[in-house]
Amino acid sequence: MTEVISYAYAVARDAGGSLAEALAGLPGVADAPVHLVRAGERGDVVVAVSPVPEQDFHEAALRANLEDLEWLESVARAHHRVIEALAARTTVLPLRLATVYLDDERVRRMLEARQEAFAGRLAELAAHTEWGVKIYVEAPAPTDRPVSAPPAEADTGLSPGRAYLSHRKAQRHAREDAYRDAEEVARRVEAAARGHAVDRVQHRMQQGELARGPGENVVNDAYLVPLGQAESFRADVSRAAEGLSGVRVEVTGPWAPYSFATPPETEPVRGAAP
């Protein structure tokens, strides 16, 4: 029989006692059922958890699995699915991906120790959502490939070598202009967001597999926005790139406040103190 441990998704407030209904039948990581752990019988701050195979989440296995993009995507989708189900009913503090404990009792102890802090943060985040803002530069990339002079250059008597240098110079200037425009767009975004958002987190720019869509990601920020300001925030920030070519602003949301929760440290699967 495969040993299981407890996978924790999020801390949430269950004042009305409706979260169990929201989670009923919802598959979590490894298609396991999700349930709630409380610090006491009447506690309204809860942790959503589910059992997962210990063999997939002990330290060595987890390091290897995090390099497996198919496995990582499956876990991330399940993690997000549970958090979104909770966020549709209440305020949540999302926990880091692959936050695991030896068992539900360890989860309960963690909740008992941090319950007051969790309750305070849940109160602060109530009626707020997270919005993501990414800025992309879509300037042409430099190339070392030889180019032939276009007809206009040929008419002026440019040699192929001079035509190539002229092309590279124009290309370089286009990229410099695009990056200057991106700086201006970033200033516009900050100014627009300042009138709506109450907090901001600057994330590392996305590259490689995480960078979806054309262009180079040069800004990757998250904003905490009151519900009543959400549409105005989205509209004002989306207009930041108007009139400037080669720069794209992507606004995503609303999300649960992933960037604004303070998760507990993950308890080691093995070697944890009783």
Side-chain angles (χ1 to χ4, degrees), residues 9-226:
Y9 300 88
V11 178
R13 188 178 295 281
D14 188 26
S18 64
L19 293 189
E21 178 185 343
L23 297 174
L26 183 71
V29 173
D31 290 327
V34 184
H35 60 279
L36 302 175
V37 171
R38 300 178 186 273
E41 291 183 4
R42 298 182 180 179
D44 65 355
V45 178
V46 298
V47 183
V49 303
S50 66
V52 293
E54 189 263 358
Q55 64 186 17
D56 291 338
F57 286 88
H58 65 70
E59 187 175 356
L62 187 57
R63 279 200 303 267
N65 284 333
L66 290 176
E67 299 297 323
D68 182 340
L69 292 182
E70 184 175 345
W71 184 92
L72 183 59
E73 181 177 6
S74 175
V75 171
R77 286 182 180 277
H79 185 89
H80 180 68
R81 183 167 59 238
V82 172
I83 290 172
E84 289 301 293
L86 294 169
R89 299 284 188 106
T90 188
T91 306
V92 300
L93 302 179
L95 302 180
R96 288 193 301 266
L97 192 74
T99 296
V100 293
Y101 293 83
L102 287 174
D103 51 36
D104 284 4
E105 180 57 30
R106 304 301 177 97
V107 177
R108 185 173 291 104
R109 293 182 194 176
M110 177 277 293
L111 181 55
E112 288 174 348
R114 300 170 181 262
Q115 189 168 11
E116 185 175 345
F118 283 145
R121 190 59 178 151
L122 286 167
E124 293 169 352
L125 293 177
H128 290 75
T129 54
E130 177 173 329
W131 289 78
V133 179
K134 295 182 177 67
I135 299 176
Y136 294 89
V137 173
E138 298 181 327
T143 176
D144 292 326
R145 290 179 300 175
V147 295
S148 300
E153 293 176 332
D155 292 343
T156 61
L158 287 178
S159 67
R162 291 180 62 191
Y164 170 74
L165 293 175
S166 177
H167 169 78
R168 289 297 301 271
K169 182 178 180 181
Q171 192 175 58
R172 184 175 66 253
H173 287 170
R175 288 183 61 79
E176 291 172 352
D177 289 345
Y179 281 102
R180 278 195 295 269
D181 287 347
E183 291 178 358
E184 172 60 23
V185 170
R187 286 191 289 268
R188 293 181 185 180
V189 166
E190 290 180 19
R194 199 175 299 122
H196 306 290
V198 299
D199 202 356
R200 171 192 179 196
V201 171
Q202 294 176 284
H203 293 299
R204 183 179 303 173
M205 275 71 78
Q206 293 185 334
Q207 299 176 333
E209 292 287 339
L210 296 177
R212 298 178 179 178
E216 177 189 354
N217 181 213
V218 295
V219 170
N220 181 19
D221 291 349
Y223 289 90
L224 186 65
V225 182

Side-chain angles (χ1 to χ4, degrees), residues 214-266:
E216 177 189 354
N217 181 213
V218 295
V219 170
N220 181 19
D221 291 349
Y223 289 90
L224 186 65
V225 182
L227 289 177
Q229 298 285 324
E231 285 307 310
S232 298
F233 171 87
R234 183 190 60 78
D236 290 349
V237 170
S238 296
R239 287 195 290 266
E242 288 183 354
L244 297 174
S245 60
V247 184
R248 176 169 57 91
V249 176
E250 178 182 279
V251 182
T252 61
W255 308 108
Y258 286 90
S259 301
F260 302 92
T262 304
E265 293 298 320
T266 302

